[in-house]
Amino acid sequence: MKHLKAFENALEAIHDEGRYRVFIDLQRHRGQFPRATARFEHGEREIIVWCSNDYLGMGQDDTVLDAMHEAIDGFGAGSGGTRNISGTTRYHVDLERELANLHGKSGALLFTSGYVANDATLSTLGKILPGLIIYSDALNHASMIEGIRRSGVDRRIFRHNDVEHLRALLENDDPARPKLIAFESVYSMDGDVGPIEDICDLADQFNALTYLDEVHAVGMYGDEGAGLAQRDEVMHRVDIIEGTLGKAYGVMGGYIAAHETVIDAIRSTASGFIFTTSTCPVMAAGALASIRKLRSDEGREKRKLHQSQAALLKQKFRENNLPVMDSETHIVPLLVGDPEKCKALSDTLLFDFGIYVQPINYPTVPKGTERLRFTPGPVHTEEMMNDLVAALLAVWKQLGMDEEAA
Protein backbone atom coordinates (compact mmCIF):
# COMPACT_ATOMS: atom_id res chain seq x y z
CA MET A 1 0.00 0.00 0.00
CA LYS A 2 1.22 3.50 -0.84
CA HIS A 3 2.41 5.74 2.06
CA LEU A 4 1.95 2.91 4.59
CA LYS A 5 4.94 4.17 6.58
CA ALA A 6 3.12 7.41 7.37
CA PHE A 7 0.27 5.45 8.95
CA GLU A 8 2.72 3.31 10.90
CA ASN A 9 4.49 6.45 12.17
CA ALA A 10 1.18 7.98 13.28
CA LEU A 11 0.30 4.85 15.24
CA GLU A 12 3.78 4.63 16.77
CA ALA A 13 3.49 8.20 18.04
CA ILE A 14 0.12 7.43 19.64
CA HIS A 15 1.56 4.31 21.30
CA ASP A 16 4.62 6.25 22.54
CA GLU A 17 2.37 8.83 24.20
CA GLY A 18 0.43 6.08 26.01
CA ARG A 19 -2.88 7.01 24.41
CA TYR A 20 -3.52 4.13 22.03
CA ARG A 21 -7.18 3.15 22.39
CA VAL A 22 -8.30 -0.45 22.72
CA PHE A 23 -11.97 -1.31 22.24
CA ILE A 24 -13.40 -3.85 24.67
CA ASP A 25 -15.61 -6.47 23.00
CA LEU A 26 -18.70 -6.57 25.24
CA GLN A 27 -21.80 -8.68 25.38
CA ARG A 28 -24.48 -7.04 27.45
CA HIS A 29 -27.10 -9.34 28.94
CA ARG A 30 -30.69 -8.17 28.83
CA GLY A 31 -31.96 -7.37 32.30
CA GLN A 32 -28.57 -7.81 33.96
CA PHE A 33 -26.85 -4.48 33.24
CA PRO A 34 -24.26 -3.39 34.47
CA ARG A 35 -23.12 -7.02 34.34
CA ALA A 36 -21.68 -8.03 30.99
CA THR A 37 -19.26 -10.45 29.37
CA ALA A 38 -15.99 -9.16 27.93
CA ARG A 39 -14.50 -11.25 25.12
CA PHE A 40 -10.74 -11.38 24.65
CA GLU A 41 -8.50 -13.19 22.21
CA HIS A 42 -7.89 -16.02 24.67
CA GLY A 43 -11.19 -16.23 26.49
CA GLU A 44 -14.03 -14.40 28.21
CA ARG A 45 -14.59 -12.74 31.58
CA GLU A 46 -17.67 -11.61 33.47
CA ILE A 47 -17.36 -7.91 34.33
CA ILE A 48 -19.14 -4.91 35.86
CA VAL A 49 -19.42 -1.93 33.51
CA TRP A 50 -18.65 1.40 35.23
CA CYS A 51 -18.29 3.73 32.25
CA SER A 52 -21.46 3.41 30.19
CA ASN A 53 -23.32 6.51 29.03
CA ASP A 54 -26.55 4.50 29.25
CA TYR A 55 -26.86 6.31 32.56
CA LEU A 56 -30.28 5.02 33.61
CA GLY A 57 -30.11 1.59 32.00
CA MET A 58 -32.89 2.46 29.54
CA GLY A 59 -31.17 0.40 26.86
CA GLN A 60 -32.36 -2.61 28.90
CA ASP A 61 -35.81 -1.27 29.75
CA ASP A 62 -38.71 -3.58 28.85
CA THR A 63 -40.95 -0.73 27.67
CA VAL A 64 -38.26 0.49 25.29
CA LEU A 65 -37.47 -3.00 24.00
CA ASP A 66 -41.15 -3.82 23.48
CA ALA A 67 -41.59 -0.65 21.42
CA MET A 68 -38.57 -1.54 19.30
CA HIS A 69 -39.85 -5.09 18.73
CA GLU A 70 -43.21 -3.72 17.65
CA ALA A 71 -41.52 -1.30 15.24
CA ILE A 72 -39.25 -3.87 13.62
CA ASP A 73 -42.14 -6.33 13.26
CA GLY A 74 -44.33 -3.65 11.71
CA PHE A 75 -41.85 -1.56 9.70
CA GLY A 76 -38.78 -3.74 9.09
CA ALA A 77 -35.15 -2.82 9.75
CA GLY A 78 -33.93 0.30 7.95
CA SER A 79 -35.68 3.50 6.97
CA GLY A 80 -35.00 3.01 3.28
CA GLY A 81 -33.70 6.44 2.45
CA THR A 82 -33.17 10.04 3.40
CA ARG A 83 -35.99 11.91 5.10
CA ASN A 84 -36.91 13.37 1.70
CA ILE A 85 -36.83 10.03 -0.12
CA SER A 86 -39.09 7.56 1.70
CA GLY A 87 -37.18 7.83 4.99
CA THR A 88 -39.86 9.55 7.07
CA THR A 89 -42.19 7.33 9.10
CA ARG A 90 -44.76 8.06 11.77
CA TYR A 91 -42.11 7.23 14.37
CA HIS A 92 -39.88 10.04 13.06
CA VAL A 93 -42.77 12.50 13.04
CA ASP A 94 -44.05 11.49 16.49
CA LEU A 95 -40.55 11.57 17.99
CA GLU A 96 -39.86 15.08 16.68
CA ARG A 97 -43.18 16.28 18.09
CA GLU A 98 -42.37 14.68 21.45
CA LEU A 99 -38.92 16.30 21.55
CA ALA A 100 -40.31 19.74 20.67
CA ASN A 101 -42.90 19.40 23.41
CA LEU A 102 -40.31 18.13 25.91
CA HIS A 103 -38.18 21.24 25.43
CA GLY A 104 -41.05 23.71 25.13
CA LYS A 105 -40.28 24.54 21.51
CA SER A 106 -42.44 24.58 18.41
CA GLY A 107 -40.13 22.36 16.37
CA ALA A 108 -37.48 19.65 16.53
CA LEU A 109 -35.27 17.83 14.05
CA LEU A 110 -33.77 14.33 14.23
CA PHE A 111 -30.20 13.47 13.26
CA THR A 112 -28.39 10.13 13.21
CA SER A 113 -26.24 11.07 16.23
CA GLY A 114 -25.56 13.88 18.66
CA TYR A 115 -22.24 14.49 16.92
CA VAL A 116 -23.99 14.96 13.57
CA ALA A 117 -26.63 17.20 15.15
CA ASN A 118 -23.95 19.59 16.45
CA ASP A 119 -21.77 19.45 13.37
CA ALA A 120 -24.58 19.84 10.85
CA THR A 121 -26.45 22.57 12.73
CA LEU A 122 -23.50 24.77 13.70
CA SER A 123 -21.86 24.46 10.30
CA THR A 124 -25.11 25.55 8.64
CA LEU A 125 -25.80 28.64 10.72
CA GLY A 126 -23.17 30.67 8.90
CA LYS A 127 -25.07 30.20 5.65
CA ILE A 128 -28.31 31.37 7.22
CA LEU A 129 -26.83 34.30 9.19
CA PRO A 130 -24.30 36.26 7.07
CA GLY A 131 -21.61 37.91 9.19
CA LEU A 132 -22.30 35.60 12.14
CA ILE A 133 -19.83 35.44 15.04
CA ILE A 134 -19.88 32.29 17.20
CA TYR A 135 -18.64 32.46 20.79
CA SER A 136 -17.61 29.00 21.97
CA ASP A 137 -16.72 27.72 25.44
CA ALA A 138 -13.12 26.46 25.53
CA LEU A 139 -14.22 22.99 26.68
CA ASN A 140 -16.98 22.44 24.14
CA HIS A 141 -17.27 18.96 22.64
CA ALA A 142 -15.31 18.05 19.50
CA SER A 143 -18.54 17.93 17.48
CA MET A 144 -19.31 21.55 18.33
CA ILE A 145 -15.74 22.62 17.56
CA GLU A 146 -15.88 20.85 14.20
CA GLY A 147 -19.25 22.34 13.31
CA ILE A 148 -18.08 25.85 14.19
CA ARG A 149 -14.88 25.35 12.20
CA ARG A 150 -16.76 24.14 9.14
CA SER A 151 -19.21 27.04 9.35
CA GLY A 152 -16.44 29.37 8.17
CA VAL A 153 -17.67 32.17 10.43
CA ASP A 154 -15.60 34.30 12.76
CA ARG A 155 -15.27 32.56 16.09
CA ARG A 156 -14.22 33.58 19.56
CA ILE A 157 -13.19 31.14 22.29
CA PHE A 158 -14.04 32.17 25.85
CA ARG A 159 -12.43 30.62 28.90
CA HIS A 160 -14.42 27.73 30.32
CA ASN A 161 -17.52 28.99 32.13
CA ASP A 162 -15.96 32.48 32.34
CA VAL A 163 -18.90 34.82 31.83
CA GLU A 164 -16.81 37.97 32.25
CA HIS A 165 -14.40 36.85 29.52
CA LEU A 166 -17.40 36.16 27.29
CA ARG A 167 -18.75 39.63 28.06
CA ALA A 168 -15.42 41.22 27.10
CA LEU A 169 -15.41 39.38 23.78
CA LEU A 170 -18.99 40.41 23.03
CA GLU A 171 -18.26 44.03 23.89
CA ASN A 172 -15.31 44.05 21.51
CA ASP A 173 -17.34 43.11 18.43
CA ASP A 174 -19.58 45.09 16.12
CA PRO A 175 -23.02 45.25 17.78
CA ALA A 176 -24.70 45.06 14.38
CA ARG A 177 -23.31 41.63 13.51
CA PRO A 178 -25.37 38.52 14.37
CA LYS A 179 -23.96 36.53 17.28
CA LEU A 180 -24.41 33.06 18.75
CA ILE A 181 -23.10 31.67 22.05
CA ALA A 182 -22.45 27.91 21.98
CA PHE A 183 -21.95 26.06 25.26
CA GLU A 184 -22.88 22.91 27.18
CA SER A 185 -24.97 22.26 30.26
CA VAL A 186 -23.01 19.27 31.63
CA TYR A 187 -19.35 18.98 30.66
CA SER A 188 -18.89 15.25 30.63
CA MET A 189 -15.20 14.93 31.44
CA ASP A 190 -15.16 17.14 34.56
CA GLY A 191 -18.81 16.83 35.54
CA ASP A 192 -19.26 20.57 36.00
CA VAL A 193 -22.13 22.66 34.60
CA GLY A 194 -22.44 25.72 32.42
CA PRO A 195 -23.85 29.00 33.82
CA ILE A 196 -26.96 28.87 31.64
CA GLU A 197 -28.89 31.76 33.20
CA ASP A 198 -25.88 34.10 33.23
CA ILE A 199 -25.13 33.33 29.58
CA CYS A 200 -28.77 33.92 28.67
CA ASP A 201 -28.57 37.30 30.43
CA LEU A 202 -25.56 38.21 28.29
CA ALA A 203 -27.29 36.96 25.17
CA ASP A 204 -30.24 39.24 25.88
CA GLN A 205 -27.94 42.18 26.49
CA PHE A 206 -25.97 41.67 23.25
CA ASN A 207 -28.83 40.37 21.09
CA ALA A 208 -27.13 36.99 20.67
CA LEU A 209 -28.65 33.60 20.00
CA THR A 210 -27.93 30.76 22.44
CA TYR A 211 -27.04 27.20 21.46
CA LEU A 212 -27.03 24.74 24.36
CA ASP A 213 -25.69 21.19 24.17
CA GLU A 214 -27.65 19.12 26.73
CA VAL A 215 -26.47 15.65 25.67
CA HIS A 216 -25.30 14.62 29.14
CA ALA A 217 -28.31 16.19 30.84
CA VAL A 218 -31.38 15.15 28.83
CA GLY A 219 -33.23 12.40 30.63
CA MET A 220 -31.16 13.15 33.72
CA TYR A 221 -32.32 16.53 35.06
CA GLY A 222 -35.49 18.56 35.19
CA ASP A 223 -39.01 17.56 36.16
CA GLU A 224 -39.53 15.69 32.87
CA GLY A 225 -35.89 15.00 32.07
CA ALA A 226 -35.53 17.86 29.60
CA GLY A 227 -32.13 18.81 31.05
CA LEU A 228 -30.50 21.43 33.22
CA ALA A 229 -32.27 24.26 31.43
CA GLN A 230 -35.58 22.76 32.57
CA ARG A 231 -34.28 22.16 36.09
CA ASP A 232 -33.10 25.78 36.32
CA GLU A 233 -36.32 27.08 34.71
CA VAL A 234 -34.53 28.82 31.86
CA MET A 235 -35.43 26.49 29.00
CA HIS A 236 -37.63 29.14 27.37
CA ARG A 237 -34.62 31.48 27.19
CA VAL A 238 -32.43 29.12 25.15
CA ASP A 239 -32.88 29.47 21.39
CA ILE A 240 -31.52 26.11 20.17
CA ILE A 241 -31.24 23.03 22.40
CA GLU A 242 -29.26 20.03 21.17
CA GLY A 243 -29.55 16.59 22.70
CA THR A 244 -28.87 12.91 22.19
CA LEU A 245 -30.94 9.75 22.27
CA GLY A 246 -27.87 7.59 22.86
CA LYS A 247 -27.10 8.31 26.52
CA ALA A 248 -29.81 8.56 29.19
CA TYR A 249 -32.46 7.51 26.67
CA GLY A 250 -30.51 4.34 25.93
CA VAL A 251 -30.97 4.17 22.16
CA MET A 252 -29.23 6.12 19.36
CA GLY A 253 -29.57 9.42 17.51
CA GLY A 254 -29.39 13.16 18.08
CA TYR A 255 -31.67 16.16 17.68
CA ILE A 256 -32.17 19.88 17.99
CA ALA A 257 -35.24 21.69 19.33
CA ALA A 258 -36.02 25.32 18.53
CA HIS A 259 -38.62 27.62 16.98
CA GLU A 260 -40.28 25.88 14.03
CA THR A 261 -38.89 28.45 11.58
CA VAL A 262 -35.33 27.82 12.77
CA ILE A 263 -35.91 24.07 12.46
CA ASP A 264 -37.35 24.41 8.98
CA ALA A 265 -34.41 26.53 7.80
CA ILE A 266 -31.86 24.02 9.11
CA ARG A 267 -33.89 21.09 7.76
CA SER A 268 -33.84 22.73 4.35
CA THR A 269 -30.14 23.73 4.40
CA ALA A 270 -27.97 21.36 6.44
CA SER A 271 -26.21 18.86 4.19
CA GLY A 272 -25.54 16.61 7.19
CA PHE A 273 -29.30 16.17 7.45
CA ILE A 274 -30.40 16.28 3.82
CA PHE A 275 -27.95 13.79 2.34
CA THR A 276 -27.93 10.98 4.93
CA THR A 277 -30.19 7.99 5.45
CA SER A 278 -32.61 8.72 8.25
CA THR A 279 -32.64 7.05 11.66
CA CYS A 280 -34.04 3.51 11.58
CA PRO A 281 -37.72 3.41 12.60
CA VAL A 282 -36.86 0.88 15.30
CA MET A 283 -34.46 3.40 16.89
CA ALA A 284 -37.00 6.20 16.71
CA ALA A 285 -39.65 3.96 18.29
CA GLY A 286 -37.35 3.01 21.16
CA ALA A 287 -36.33 6.60 21.78
CA LEU A 288 -39.95 7.74 21.78
CA ALA A 289 -40.89 5.12 24.37
CA SER A 290 -37.85 6.00 26.50
CA ILE A 291 -38.57 9.74 26.50
CA ARG A 292 -42.21 9.20 27.42
CA LYS A 293 -41.25 6.89 30.29
CA LEU A 294 -38.63 9.28 31.64
CA ARG A 295 -41.16 12.13 31.59
CA SER A 296 -43.32 10.14 34.03
CA ASP A 297 -43.20 9.59 37.79
CA GLU A 298 -41.11 6.49 37.19
CA GLY A 299 -38.56 8.64 35.40
CA ARG A 300 -38.47 11.07 38.32
CA GLU A 301 -37.74 8.20 40.68
CA LYS A 302 -34.96 6.94 38.41
CA ARG A 303 -33.35 10.38 38.36
CA LYS A 304 -33.58 10.72 42.13
CA LEU A 305 -31.98 7.32 42.70
CA HIS A 306 -29.30 8.03 40.12
CA GLN A 307 -28.21 11.22 41.86
CA SER A 308 -28.03 9.49 45.23
CA GLN A 309 -25.90 6.69 43.78
CA ALA A 310 -23.46 9.17 42.21
CA ALA A 311 -23.20 11.05 45.51
CA LEU A 312 -22.57 7.80 47.37
CA LEU A 313 -19.70 6.77 45.10
CA LYS A 314 -18.08 10.22 45.43
CA GLN A 315 -18.38 9.92 49.19
CA LYS A 316 -16.72 6.49 49.20
CA PHE A 317 -13.86 7.76 47.04
CA ARG A 318 -13.27 10.73 49.37
CA GLU A 319 -13.41 8.58 52.51
CA ASN A 320 -10.67 6.37 51.05
CA ASN A 321 -8.49 9.31 49.93
CA LEU A 322 -8.93 8.51 46.25
CA PRO A 323 -8.43 11.69 44.16
CA VAL A 324 -12.00 12.22 42.99
CA MET A 325 -12.31 15.46 41.05
CA ASP A 326 -14.92 18.05 42.00
CA SER A 327 -18.13 17.32 40.15
CA GLU A 328 -21.59 18.83 40.50
CA THR A 329 -23.25 16.10 38.47
CA HIS A 330 -23.57 12.35 37.98
CA ILE A 331 -20.10 12.19 36.37
CA VAL A 332 -17.46 10.85 38.82
CA PRO A 333 -13.92 11.46 37.48
CA LEU A 334 -10.89 10.07 39.31
CA LEU A 335 -7.70 11.99 38.54
CA VAL A 336 -4.63 9.96 37.51
CA GLY A 337 -2.53 12.54 35.66
CA ASP A 338 -0.41 10.12 33.63
CA PRO A 339 -1.50 8.32 30.42
CA GLU A 340 0.49 5.14 30.96
CA LYS A 341 -0.65 4.73 34.58
CA CYS A 342 -4.20 5.52 33.56
CA LYS A 343 -4.08 2.72 31.00
CA ALA A 344 -2.37 0.36 33.49
CA LEU A 345 -5.05 1.09 36.08
CA SER A 346 -7.81 0.37 33.60
CA ASP A 347 -6.19 -2.84 32.34
CA THR A 348 -5.48 -4.21 35.82
CA LEU A 349 -8.99 -3.47 37.05
CA LEU A 350 -10.40 -5.25 34.00
CA PHE A 351 -8.20 -8.34 33.89
CA ASP A 352 -7.65 -8.89 37.62
CA PHE A 353 -10.93 -7.67 39.11
CA GLY A 354 -13.53 -7.76 36.32
CA ILE A 355 -14.12 -4.02 36.61
CA TYR A 356 -14.43 -2.12 33.35
CA VAL A 357 -13.72 1.61 33.30
CA GLN A 358 -12.13 3.17 30.24
CA PRO A 359 -9.05 5.43 30.59
CA ILE A 360 -9.67 8.99 29.44
CA ASN A 361 -6.52 10.41 27.85
CA TYR A 362 -5.46 13.23 25.51
CA PRO A 363 -6.95 14.57 23.25
CA THR A 364 -10.26 13.99 25.05
CA VAL A 365 -8.78 15.75 28.09
CA PRO A 366 -5.65 17.94 28.38
CA LYS A 367 -2.33 16.22 28.96
CA GLY A 368 -1.60 15.86 32.66
CA THR A 369 -5.30 15.48 33.55
CA GLU A 370 -5.74 11.86 32.46
CA ARG A 371 -8.45 10.16 34.47
CA LEU A 372 -10.82 7.27 34.99
CA ARG A 373 -14.41 8.39 34.47
CA PHE A 374 -17.07 6.53 36.41
CA THR A 375 -20.79 6.75 35.67
CA PRO A 376 -22.63 5.04 38.54
CA GLY A 377 -26.32 4.51 38.00
CA PRO A 378 -29.45 3.14 39.64
CA VAL A 379 -28.36 -0.39 38.68
CA HIS A 380 -25.03 -0.21 40.56
CA THR A 381 -25.37 -1.56 44.10
CA GLU A 382 -23.47 -0.43 47.19
CA GLU A 383 -21.79 -3.84 47.24
CA MET A 384 -20.47 -3.18 43.73
CA MET A 385 -19.20 0.20 44.90
CA ASN A 386 -17.39 -1.36 47.87
CA ASP A 387 -15.76 -3.93 45.56
CA LEU A 388 -14.74 -1.13 43.20
CA VAL A 389 -13.12 0.93 45.98
CA ALA A 390 -11.24 -2.10 47.31
CA ALA A 391 -9.95 -2.93 43.84
CA LEU A 392 -8.88 0.67 43.20
CA LEU A 393 -6.97 0.84 46.47
CA ALA A 394 -5.19 -2.44 45.68
CA VAL A 395 -4.18 -1.38 42.16
CA TRP A 396 -3.27 2.13 43.32
CA LYS A 397 -0.83 0.55 45.77
CA GLN A 398 0.41 -2.02 43.23
CA LEU A 399 1.35 0.79 40.82
CA GLY A 400 3.04 2.81 43.57
CA MET A 401 0.55 5.64 43.22
CA ASP A 402 -0.27 5.69 46.92
CA GLU A 403 3.35 6.69 47.62
CA GLU A 404 3.14 9.48 45.05
CA ALA A 405 -0.03 10.79 46.68
CA ALA A 406 1.67 10.77 50.06
Side-chain angles (χ1 to χ4, degrees):
M1 177 181 170
K2 302 178 184 69
H3 307 297
L4 186 59
K5 186 63 177 175
F7 293 93
E8 292 174 347
N9 290 341
L11 284 171
E12 184 179 354
I14 292 171
H15 276 287
D16 289 345
E17 292 176 13
R19 58 183 184 91
Y20 182 74
R21 300 177 185 221
V22 177
F23 299 153
I24 306 300
D25 182 350
L26 291 180
Q27 178 184 348
R28 289 168 56 151
H29 308 294
R30 177 175 175 174
Q32 297 180 38
F33 185 73
R35 300 184 185 278
T37 301
R39 186 173 64 174
F40 308 105
E41 186 176 348
H42 302 296
E44 297 182 342
R45 165 134 203 184
E46 299 305 304
I47 63 167
I48 303 294
V49 178
W50 280 98
C51 54
S52 175
N53 285 338
D54 186 0
Y55 294 129
L56 300 174
M58 294 301 290
Q60 303 283 308
D61 185 86
D62 286 338
T63 302
V64 174
L65 298 181
D66 289 345
M68 296 178 81
H69 280 295
E70 180 182 340
I72 200 166
D73 289 342
F75 284 66
S79 67
T82 65
R83 289 291 296 274
N84 187 53
I85 305 175
S86 79
T88 296
T89 69
R90 68 175 172 87
Y91 287 117
H92 294 86
V93 174
D94 289 350
L95 178 54
E96 286 177 339
R97 288 174 178 166
E98 188 78 21
L99 288 165
N101 182 266
L102 173 69
H103 290 289
K105 307 299 182 188
S106 54
L109 190 64
L110 277 176
F111 294 86
T112 50
S113 74
Y115 188 107
V116 174
N118 272 334
D119 184 20
T121 303
L122 288 166
S123 65
T124 300
L125 290 172
K127 303 173 187 176
I128 298 172
L129 295 164
L132 177 66
I133 304 171
I134 296 180
Y135 302 80
S136 175
D137 188 285
L139 293 189
N140 275 343
H141 190 265
S143 57
M144 300 175 76
I145 295 169
E146 180 65 12
I148 294 167
R149 185 192 66 79
R150 291 203 312 111
S151 72
V153 306
D154 289 340
R155 53 192 184 273
R156 314 280 187 254
I157 311 301
F158 61 93
R159 289 186 293 271
H160 178 52
N161 280 350
D162 190 333
V163 177
E164 290 310 309
H165 186 217
L166 173 59
R167 175 187 294 277
L169 293 173
L170 288 161
E171 288 175 340
N172 198 47
D173 283 318
D174 182 352
R177 291 181 63 179
K179 299 172 178 64
L180 179 139
I181 304 168
F183 63 112
E184 300 183 35
S185 60
V186 175
Y187 290 86
S188 65
M189 290 301 115
D190 291 343
D192 59 339
V193 303
I196 303 174
E197 185 172 14
D198 290 343
I199 288 178
C200 286
D201 288 343
L202 273 184
D204 289 346
Q205 184 178 343
F206 290 91
N207 196 31
L209 294 167
T210 46
Y211 183 101
L212 178 63
D213 178 313
E214 288 255 43
V215 296
H216 290 275
V218 290
M220 304 294 295
Y221 299 91
D223 184 57
E224 297 176 289
L228 282 184
Q230 183 181 56
R231 185 199 70 177
D232 297 345
E233 300 182 347
V234 292
M235 196 161 59
H236 62 287
R237 301 184 63 190
V238 179
D239 295 297
I240 303 173
I241 294 174
E242 185 267 349
T244 184
L245 306 170
K247 293 184 170 61
Y249 292 124
V251 191
M252 183 180 178
Y255 66 89
I256 57 170
H259 189 281
E260 59 188 336
T261 302
V262 174
I263 294 297
D264 201 13
I266 293 169
R267 180 190 71 87
S268 303
T269 311
S271 60
F273 172 82
I274 295 170
F275 297 108
T276 191
T277 301
S278 68
T279 300
C280 296
V282 65
M283 296 293 186
L288 181 59
S290 184
I291 291 166
R292 286 174 173 170
K293 189 163 191 174
L294 289 181
R295 295 184 78 174
S296 71
D297 287 340
E298 186 173 345
R300 294 179 187 96
E301 287 303 311
K302 278 183 177 288
R303 285 189 285 279
K304 183 178 178 181
L305 177 58
H306 188 276
Q307 290 296 318
S308 67
Q309 293 296 84
L312 180 59
L313 184 60
K314 292 175 192 177
Q315 176 187 331
K316 289 180 180 294
F317 281 175
R318 292 190 188 100
E319 288 174 351
N320 287 276
N321 296 316
L322 289 165
V324 61
M325 300 169 67
D326 288 337
S327 165
E328 304 171 53
T329 62
H330 57 282
I331 308 295
V332 185
L334 199 63
L335 181 65
V336 179
D338 178 276
E340 293 182 359
K341 288 183 178 178
C342 199
K343 179 71 166 58
L345 267 168
S346 174
D347 288 346
T348 307
L349 287 169
L350 179 63
F351 294 116
D352 292 356
F353 295 92
I355 290 170
Y356 174 44
V357 57
Q358 193 70 5
I360 306 295
N361 292 334
Y362 176 84
T364 306
V365 295
K367 292 180 180 179
T369 69
E370 292 83 3
R371 67 202 64 177
L372 300 177
R373 176 183 173 272
F374 297 89
T375 53
V379 289
H380 291 94
T381 66
E382 185 168 2
E383 182 182 0
M384 290 177 184
M385 292 185 192
N386 291 336
D387 290 344
L388 169 63
V389 169
L392 278 166
L393 290 172
V395 181
W396 220 264
K397 184 175 182 179
Q398 178 182 329
L399 296 176
M401 296 172 64
D402 57 333
E403 298 172 3
E404 293 177 9

